[in-house]
Amino acid sequence: MGQRREGLVRARKAACLTQEELAVLLPADVKSIRNWEAGRSEPQPYRRARYAELLRVRLARLEELLQERAVATSTTGAPSLDAETGTESNTGSAAEPAYDASLRHTLTTPSASNATDPADVRRIQQEWLRVRQAPGVRGRELTELAAWLYPESQRAPGGHVLAGPGWLLDQPVPLDSVRLAWSDWHQPAPPWGSLEHVLPLTDRGELYAGYSRAVRDLVRPRLLENRLSYRLLGLRTDDGLELTFGTTSFFEVFDVKQALAHEFKAAWLASGRAAPDWDALPLRAALGDPFDPQQLLMSPGISTLTVRRDRSGDEHRFVLHERDGGKVADGGGLCHVMPAGEFQPSSVDPADMRNDFSLWRNIMREFSEEFLGNPEHDGSRSGPIDYAQEEPFRSFDRARVEGGLRLWHYGLAMEPLELGAVQMTVAVADDVVFDQLFAGLVDANDEGRVVGHSGRTDMPFHAEAIDRLDPRLSASALTVLRLAWRDRELLLDGSATR
């Protein structure tokens, strides 16, 4: 049993609040208020700022009031997390320690942040890593749970990804019909709430300044580089699909997406692996409309399903890629369509920003890197890329002009867990053209490996194969594959417009 927190009770009464009134204003279950005051549990970190505000005390003072307790432990001496309150109980196991939501928050208050014991810092860092890795997750489990937070009207066909008004097209359109508009107007990043509950401590005992910096230091993926990216500012569908872009950075968007995902994972663990409620997701709830680029920072990458069209009509195939969690900062373990990458210029040079502002040119660069194993075009060269003369871009362009390579655009979708926008596209290459362009197709690259079937580096494009692959596919990959299978007659028509 815990020790009654008399100071917490006095503070509530001084604020002229009953337990029931406090529960309504916080909001929380009145049972939780009683448990907090009785010393049996603690409020979750994201509740504490509002809790302190209602009690009319500083956050540091609230933390002091919460320390007026004796921690109850199990006979084994191993505390674990209460599913309802996110505090210690006796439900954990040695194989999978329960989520300790209160540990990191307690040690990151201003009074303690510079005087934390190194052993405690390491414990906090390890707990953060464990939440990030979400032990026991099966495939798309968390993505599917996150999708259920949103009404059916905001889910794409199949329910695996989200789509806002006008985001996903009824049928694919030729890539060239998608208009890109540029805006020089600098828009500040949307306001963001407190990130204390999703960030660990540095080795100095201070809260990390951003999620990407924590990943850099504690996860250490092989590929994690901040690059200039194209930021979505607007979408119009009144006369075809038009996308307006400005600029942002990869880390700016990464920080937002990963913070949202981490918050969801922590809430999922705290709820006993059940779908979290909205009150456990303050960052996500504060966004409002997730499809409004004025509310959510977006840089929609481009995921391209590449199909090898068999002219006999019997053996169409597609390319699939499994991302290596040890090499990339996110998306590891699941299979994605290939190529897939950020929509970004090859460097910060103004000439490259203009020269690379093209969906097709970004797709070509990804073909070069992921299919052929060429070094990433990262701006280390001198001068803009000459797409008309340099290989392999010259061959890609020629194949497209001659009709042997056709590109389609399905619009935009959003991965529910991270709220990361993605453009879904399809490339269809005639068999002879595919074999010529990708004669040097690699079976592994800097981000993972190509998934093949029957000794090949591609998969059969038919319903049975898609069904079998379903558990291994990312939400966006499964969605674009099912859409492409639905529209296969249009996509595989060799006489269709490119």
Side-chain angles (χ1 to χ4, degrees), residues 417-440:
L417 179 61
E418 299 178 347
L419 294 186
V422 59
Q423 301 180 69
M424 298 195 299
T425 61
V426 178
V428 178
D430 293 338
D431 46 15
V432 173
V433 173
F434 183 98
D435 293 343
Q436 290 174 344
L437 294 178
F438 305 121

Side-chain angles (χ1 to χ4, degrees), residues 62-132:
L62 175 63
E63 299 294 343
E64 293 174 0
L65 296 174
L66 291 173
Q67 297 312 305
E68 296 178 358
R69 69 184 179 103
V71 179
T73 59
S74 68
T75 56
T76 62
S80 61
L81 188 74
D82 182 275
E84 196 280 324
T85 63
T87 56
E88 291 177 352
S89 68
N90 301 323
T91 59
S93 66
E96 186 179 317
Y99 170 56
D100 191 352
S102 63
L103 172 64
R104 189 215 54 76
H105 183 81
T106 300
L107 295 179
T108 54
T109 55
S111 60
S113 61
N114 293 317
T116 303
D117 185 273
D120 289 332
V121 169
R122 188 58 184 162
R123 287 173 56 206
I124 293 168
Q125 293 175 348
Q126 289 296 332
E127 180 64 15
W128 180 85
L129 286 168
R130 195 178 76 85
V131 172
R132 175 176 170 79

Side-chain angles (χ1 to χ4, degrees), residues 108-360:
T108 54
T109 55
S111 60
S113 61
N114 293 317
T116 303
D117 185 273
D120 289 332
V121 169
R122 188 58 184 162
R123 287 173 56 206
I124 293 168
Q125 293 175 348
Q126 289 296 332
E127 180 64 15
W128 180 85
L129 286 168
R130 195 178 76 85
V131 172
R132 175 176 170 79
Q133 294 162 357
V137 172
R138 299 176 297 276
R140 297 188 310 273
E141 179 180 1
L142 296 185
T143 295
E144 302 285 0
L145 284 177
W148 292 350
L149 290 169
Y150 300 90
E152 187 176 357
S153 61
Q154 294 182 343
R155 298 180 220 149
H160 308 293
V161 296
L162 308 177
W167 274 44
L168 197 61
L169 306 179
D170 293 333
Q171 66 176 24
V173 297
L175 187 72
D176 280 346
S177 71
V178 179
R179 302 187 306 279
L180 301 186
W182 181 258
S183 174
D184 287 319
W185 180 47
H186 176 70
Q187 295 191 27
W192 196 236
S194 172
L195 298 177
E196 282 193 10
H197 62 301
V198 298
L199 294 174
L201 298 181
T202 68
D203 289 343
R204 297 174 58 186
E206 300 169 350
L207 196 69
Y208 265 99
Y211 202 97
S212 54
R213 302 191 74 169
V215 170
R216 177 198 62 188
D217 292 350
L218 304 180
V219 180
R220 299 187 182 94
R222 184 173 180 272
L223 298 175
L224 185 64
E225 179 184 2
N226 199 16
R227 297 268 300 277
L228 188 71
S229 297
Y230 295 118
R231 174 187 174 185
L232 182 68
L233 297 175
L235 178 151
R236 292 180 54 186
T237 57
D238 52 347
D239 183 24
L241 180 60
E242 179 178 288
L243 305 173
T244 300
F245 289 92
T247 58
T248 183
S249 72
F250 174 79
F251 277 3
E252 277 188 308
V253 179
F254 180 86
D255 284 351
V256 171
K257 295 192 301 184
Q258 294 297 306
L260 288 166
H262 195 104
E263 177 184 72
F264 190 94
K265 293 173 184 177
W268 174 74
L269 288 168
S271 64
R273 300 174 179 275
D277 295 326
W278 276 102
D279 63 356
L281 305 170
L283 293 178
R284 188 177 296 257
L287 286 173
D289 181 3
F291 308 110
D292 182 358
Q294 309 307 314
Q295 297 294 322
L296 176 63
L297 192 63
M298 304 180 196
S299 178
I302 307 173
S303 293
T304 304
L305 167 63
T306 304
V307 179
R308 180 185 182 274
R309 173 180 174 269
D310 177 33
R311 287 171 297 171
S312 70
D314 297 327
E315 295 294 334
H316 310 305
R317 306 184 72 86
F318 69 96
V319 187
L320 201 60
H321 185 245
E322 184 177 48
R323 290 166 68 84
D324 186 338
K327 295 181 178 179
V328 296
D330 63 326
L334 287 173
C335 293
H336 302 254
V337 296
M338 183 175 171
E342 302 297 320
F343 184 32
Q344 56 189 196
S346 56
S347 82
V348 297
D349 189 297
D352 285 326
M353 289 175 59
R354 293 189 299 270
N355 191 51
D356 299 334
F357 186 52
S358 159
L359 300 178
W360 170 230

